[in-house]
Amino acid sequence: IGAGQAERSAAVPKPVVVTVAPTSGEAAEMIEAALGRAQDARRRGQRLIVALAPGRFRLRRPIEIGAAHGGTWRAPTVLRGAGAGRTTLIGSAPAPAFDGDWSELRRRLPAEARKHVRAFKLPAGLARVKSIGIKRFHATPAGPVPFEVFDTVGAMTPARWPNTGWAAVGSGASGSEGSGQAAEIGVDAPRIAAWRNEPDLWLLGYLRYDWSFEQLRVGSVDATGQRLILADRPYYGVKPGDRVFVAHALAELDAPGEWYYDHRRGVLLAWPRGKSDQVEVSVAASAIRMVGAGHVRISELGIARVRGDAVVITGGQDVVVERSAIRWAGGRAVVVRGARASGVTASLLEELGEGGVVLEGGDRASLRGGNLFVGDSRIERFARLGRTYKPAIRLA
């Protein structure tokens, strides 16, 4: 690194600037094509700057950046926007209107919701989604969410009960640590009966211990209509009074900001907030994925609405996310594994599903440091989907 700093102090030839404007095409392909000029620029000792014009660059897949796209210590490759509020890599797509018959679903909605709920289809590429949820447990990283739904306010919520806060597990709960699958929650029998035929119902909450958050699929409602039988055993079991809520029940689509997906009919029902009835659905698993890349800057960009981790850096060295804003990721904002002298600086990271930044590097056997960093940044409203052991910054 010391040698690299000395190298950077030398004169740098005029950079090569390639400007990319947003179009209706696949943004990842256009940006990768521009980054492909890095090798020629490196041979000439020049810095390559891929300048993204103001606007939204729609991603259906991550931008792949490898060793061939990197620069040098004194002339790193730069992927630069016009400012985090002006240039955005966005991983969502507008949901087209559903043109089929959904009258039977409309009849099952709460009466007040029928005039507000709109019907959509999922964007191309998500048609095979069978479930809206994933199992979540403690520090274990969850994979990308199947999708999230966004209105003009932000991420919407799968139709849930209660709408805010928590319900309490009832006195008849069963299942101790290491055994048991059933949990009875304290609601009236008619309400649970309305969930009986739900194929994709989920229970979320703090089970057994008030710090141990899990997200588990509900297998069935028992014959009495008073018990939820979980498809997976809670890790520590359950006890009366545990804080829980139930998600993704059509009968609970009763408030603005909620949605429900019927995979059998392929219809997404949503009650949007704000002035627009249009919603968008996250499609791209990540925004940027780097493997073995060296001397790269991701600068002055907004990144939003991906299903998993927004920026993933594996191996390589001297890769920096700077002066950028990452919002509404289903996973973490930035994950760095096995790289050196890399990290995040002067950035805003917020509304993150799993946590903020993961820094994994260095070598324990040789005590060689990874020199990974987060500096001069704000990390806010993280762990919005997974709530236990999902820190702002995780070091390993």
Side-chain angles (χ1 to χ4, degrees):
I1 292 172
Q5 291 170 338
E7 182 185 351
R8 280 198 296 268
S9 66
V12 178
K14 185 178 179 180
V16 176
V17 180
V18 180
T19 301
V20 181
T23 71
S24 58
E26 172 55 60
E29 293 178 1
M30 296 189 300
I31 295 169
E32 287 168 358
L35 288 167
R37 297 181 61 175
Q39 285 181 308
D40 287 340
R42 193 167 58 241
R43 279 196 295 268
R44 295 191 296 267
Q46 293 175 292
R47 178 197 307 261
L48 172 67
I49 299 176
V50 176
L52 304 185
R56 286 184 167 188
F57 289 77
R58 297 277 186 183
L59 299 175
R60 291 192 171 274
R61 63 168 179 83
I63 300 165
E64 303 283 354
I65 300 177
H69 301 125
T72 65
W73 279 112
R74 68 176 181 147
T77 296
V78 180
L79 176 60
R80 185 183 71 198
R86 301 182 64 203
T87 303
T88 304
L89 303 176
I90 189 164
S92 64
F98 182 74
D99 52 8
D101 180 15
W102 60 285
S103 56
E104 189 270 333
L105 294 176
R106 187 196 298 271
R107 286 192 295 270
R108 290 167 52 197
L109 286 170
E112 174 60 20
R114 292 170 193 163
K115 61 184 177 183
H116 299 288
V117 170
R118 302 291 181 262
F120 304 92
K121 296 183 290 187
L122 294 184
L126 296 178
R128 296 184 180 180
V129 170
K130 295 293 191 295
S131 176
I132 63 97
I134 52 178
K135 185 176 180 180
R136 295 184 188 276
F137 178 71
H138 291 192
T140 304
V145 295
F147 62 85
E148 288 192 270
V149 182
F150 297 87
D151 59 15
T152 57
V153 177
M156 302 175 70
T157 303
R160 55 165 280 178
W161 183 89
N163 284 339
T164 60
W166 307 89
V169 171
S171 59
S174 66
S176 59
E177 185 170 345
S179 65
Q181 290 183 312
E184 178 183 341
I185 65 173
V187 298
D188 57 293
R191 173 162 245 121
I192 291 186
W195 307 336
R196 178 169 288 156
N197 295 318
E198 287 291 354
D200 193 26
L201 190 66
W202 292 79
L203 181 77
L204 299 87
Y206 295 89
L207 303 179
R208 177 63 63 170
Y209 300 109
D210 206 38
W211 51 265
S212 180
F213 184 82
E214 294 187 67
Q215 176 173 323
L216 300 168
R217 185 194 294 272
V218 176
S220 63
V221 177
D222 80 343
T224 68
Q226 297 179 344
R227 259 176 123 68
L228 298 179
I229 310 301
L230 301 184
D232 294 304
R233 177 181 62 80
Y235 189 83
Y236 295 116
V238 295
K239 71 178 190 314
D242 285 345
R243 295 183 294 154
V244 297
F245 65 88
V246 173
H248 201 234
L250 181 60
E252 306 305 333
L253 208 172
D254 58 359
E258 292 189 328
W259 60 269
Y260 176 85
Y261 179 60
D262 185 323
H263 76 268
R264 294 167 296 190
R265 296 174 176 85
V267 57
L268 169 68
L269 302 181
W271 184 341
R273 301 158 294 185
K275 297 181 179 180
S276 174
D277 284 342
Q278 181 62 53
V279 300
E280 297 206 357
V281 177
S282 54
V283 177
S286 297
I288 299 173
R289 189 159 50 201
M290 300 191 215
V291 178
H295 316 298
V296 178
R297 302 290 180 269
I298 305 299
S299 184
E300 299 183 54
L301 278 175
I303 298 174
R305 298 182 183 178
V306 296
R307 296 187 295 112
D309 300 326
V311 179
V312 180
I313 301 165
T314 304
Q317 62 178 334
D318 186 34
V319 177
V320 183
V321 178
E322 59 186 12
R323 300 188 298 281
S324 294
I326 301 177
R327 299 182 173 96
W328 296 116
R332 288 75 57 94
V334 180
V335 175
V336 182
R337 291 196 177 99
R340 292 193 301 115
S342 301
V344 180
T345 186
S347 294
L348 171 63
L349 317 175
E350 60 181 357
E351 305 293 358
L352 307 168
E354 286 271 292
V357 179
V358 176
L359 301 178
E360 297 182 0
D363 181 71
R364 185 180 296 272
S366 66
L367 300 184
R368 183 188 189 191
N371 293 328
L372 306 180
F373 57 87
V374 176
D376 191 24
S377 297
R378 294 176 67 91
I379 306 175
E380 303 180 337
R381 295 185 295 282
F382 54 94
R384 63 183 176 88
L385 300 178
R387 305 190 183 200
T388 299
Y389 295 126
K390 311 295 184 183
I393 302 174
R394 180 180 182 273
L395 307 176

